[in-house]
Amino acid sequence: MDTKPIKIGLIAELTGPLSFMGIANANLATMLVDDINTGGGLLGRPLKLVIEDGETVDGVAKARAAKLIDVDKVDVVIGGIYSSTRQAIKSEAVTRGRTLYIYTEQYEGQENDPLIFCTGPVPAQQVEPLIPWFINTTGAKKFYLPSADYIWPHLLNKAASRVVRANGGEIVGEEYFPLDTIDFRHTVRQIMASGAEVVFNTLVPPGLTPFLDELHKADFGKRGGKIICTYFDENFFNLVPSEQIEGLYSCLDYYQELDDPFGRALLRRYKDRFPGSAMLTAGSGCTGHYRAIKMWEAAVNEAGTVERDAVIRALDHARISEGPGGPAEMVPGQHHVRMNMYIAQAQGGRFRVVKNLGLIDPNERVLSEFELNKAR
């Protein structure tokens, strides 16, 4: 019987602007792998988690992915936060290495490589339910889109703009900035002059904090302006003063205040294991990491092997009966997950769920048999 370890390669942003997310992802993955090993491992073999620091730099993530494939010879690669980081990892792990890759972050959708599965929310699960509810609830219809200049904001804004217009709203401004931009005075002046009622934000750290500070100083909120940021979670109360995001709307697959016994128990166990460390949240991709590891575990058990194609066939319909935010299942053929979604609002330094949307389909493209066969 084979007793060699089964290897999971994890690329986590342990340093750089997204370290407050990446450290939590690595913590949770460590805890889950330890759980599996305590329970006897997988197929009677121990799991070995190989963690590499992506440093929040795409080129570094690409090099770390190459190491996981060439040196560590991992059975699956997990992780990456920015969509540009996903593409960097994909180039080594998937395109060159032909290895199964599970991307865990909420993102713009449209990733349809047969060797990639995605376990975070996509536009059909975030902007499509959020924006009609928001316009209907608040009456605000004039949207301004300040954005980071990479693939996720461009495609998310495209989806958001379509839904805004379909619901009687309008886009009064849309701008893109390099990731290292920190001076937003001119943009905030434009937002204030445009009559925008809503800032739909896709700026990311490090530019995020100076932007929110500038917007707050301009009294955008006091004037009745509203902010939407789909990826905001409990972490952001440690990044910015809570008054700067008071009233902000977010839409994710899990919030810590959910009255869900499983999620509460997982959060308690995480806090006991990693006291004072980065928080277990959805925006960071922790929930996507949970689904990735537990669905992959279920797929390997069903397949009875770690052979790539057999695992992919089982992963195509994998499901978990419980998880942070609720049960989840892979939609056959789509390589994306049907999951519970929630709209929350920042109130008094915490996120409160204002709408439980229930289970929502990702509505991503179904991969054809031809594409799947070609990958093999």
Side-chain angles (χ1 to χ4, degrees):
M1 185 177 139
D2 193 350
T3 55
K4 286 203 311 286
I6 295 171
K7 292 181 183 176
I8 297 176
L10 178 73
I11 295 181
E13 318 300 3
L14 303 179
T15 54
L18 296 187
S19 60
F20 68 98
M21 301 164 107
I23 290 168
N25 296 337
N27 286 346
L28 182 66
T30 300
M31 190 168 95
L32 293 177
V33 167
D34 285 352
D35 288 348
I36 293 168
N37 283 332
T38 302
L42 199 50
L43 307 180
R45 295 165 62 185
L47 278 188
K48 182 180 180 187
L49 181 64
V50 184
I51 301 177
E52 292 291 340
D53 181 7
E55 297 181 19
T56 323
V57 177
D58 293 344
V60 172
K62 181 180 163 86
R64 300 290 191 267
K67 177 195 170 277
L68 290 173
I69 300 303
D70 299 334
V71 178
D72 301 297
K73 302 198 182 319
V74 298
D75 296 286
V76 60
V77 175
I78 294 174
I81 296 179
Y82 289 150
S83 285
S84 52
T85 307
R86 178 186 77 252
Q87 292 174 320
I89 294 169
K90 175 183 176 177
S91 68
E92 294 296 327
V94 177
T95 309
R96 187 178 66 80
R98 311 306 295 153
T99 301
L100 172 63
Y101 171 36
I102 307 178
Y103 178 60
T104 46
E105 186 54 73
Q106 53 92 34
Y107 86 116
E108 71 281 353
Q110 301 180 41
E111 177 57 77
N112 48 33
D113 190 290
L115 301 186
I116 298 179
F117 285 79
C118 300
T119 54
V122 292
Q125 295 164 310
Q126 290 184 295
V127 295
E128 288 184 20
L130 168 63
I131 288 172
W133 177 89
F134 172 86
I135 289 175
N136 198 33
T137 304
T138 69
K141 290 184 175 179
K142 292 182 175 176
F143 285 66
Y144 202 104
L145 282 49
S147 325
D149 193 6
Y150 71 105
I151 182 173
W152 171 68
H154 280 279
L155 291 181
L156 193 72
N157 283 347
K158 209 171 165 183
S161 300
R162 190 180 66 242
V163 182
V164 165
R165 291 182 180 117
N167 286 273
E170 64 175 307
I171 307 300
V172 295
E174 181 172 354
E175 286 185 273
Y176 292 87
F177 301 92
L179 287 173
D180 58 359
T181 305
I182 52 170
D183 184 352
F184 291 98
R185 285 171 299 185
H186 176 68
T187 298
V188 168
R189 280 198 297 272
Q190 282 185 232
I191 289 170
M192 299 303 284
S194 70
E197 300 165 291
V198 189
V199 163
F200 182 87
N201 171 68
T202 54
L203 292 167
V204 294
L208 175 71
T209 38
F211 170 73
L212 289 172
D213 186 49
E214 207 62 53
L215 196 65
H216 183 66
K217 283 194 299 207
D219 286 340
F220 177 72
K222 274 198 183 141
R223 202 186 71 177
K226 300 178 185 345
I227 306 174
I228 295 177
C229 186
T230 53
Y231 71 84
F232 261 44
D233 60 23
E234 294 82 358
N235 266 315
F236 289 89
F237 290 112
N238 293 330
L239 279 193
V240 295
S242 62
E243 64 269 16
Q244 292 187 5
I245 54 171
E246 180 68 22
L248 177 145
Y249 291 92
S250 164
C251 184
L252 287 165
D253 47 299
Y254 163 79
Y255 292 94
Q256 291 182 350
E257 77 135 29
L258 280 173
D259 189 17
D260 157 44
F262 179 85
R264 292 244 160 128
L266 182 74
L267 188 59
R268 264 196 314 274
R269 203 154 65 85
Y270 177 93
K271 285 178 173 174
D272 288 347
R273 172 93 185 254
F274 306 104
S277 188
M279 287 196 291
L280 188 163
T281 62
S284 69
C286 277
T287 49
H289 280 72
Y290 184 91
R291 287 186 288 270
I293 291 171
K294 298 306 286 182
M295 285 180 165
W296 175 78
E297 177 194 16
V300 170
N301 275 325
E302 182 188 316
T305 175
V306 287
E307 191 270 318
R308 189 197 71 189
D309 292 351
V311 173
I312 284 174
R313 281 192 294 273
L315 193 52
D316 189 55
H317 55 256
R319 58 179 59 207
I320 53 171
S321 58
E322 53 190 5
E329 55 192 335
M330 203 64 73
V331 179
Q334 289 188 27
H335 288 204
H336 286 75
V337 176
R338 178 184 293 121
M339 64 185 98
N340 285 334
M341 295 298 297
Y342 307 89
I343 298 171
Q345 189 179 29
Q347 296 175 8
R350 55 194 288 198
F351 271 108
R352 299 187 184 272
V353 173
V354 291
K355 178 72 174 171
N356 179 345
L357 296 166
L359 278 172
I360 301 220
D361 270 32
N363 291 336
E364 287 291 315
R365 187 169 75 80
V366 174
L367 293 163
S368 70
E369 206 53 50
F370 170 75
E371 288 168 310
L372 293 168
N373 288 334
K374 199 169 73 167
R376 291 171 189 139

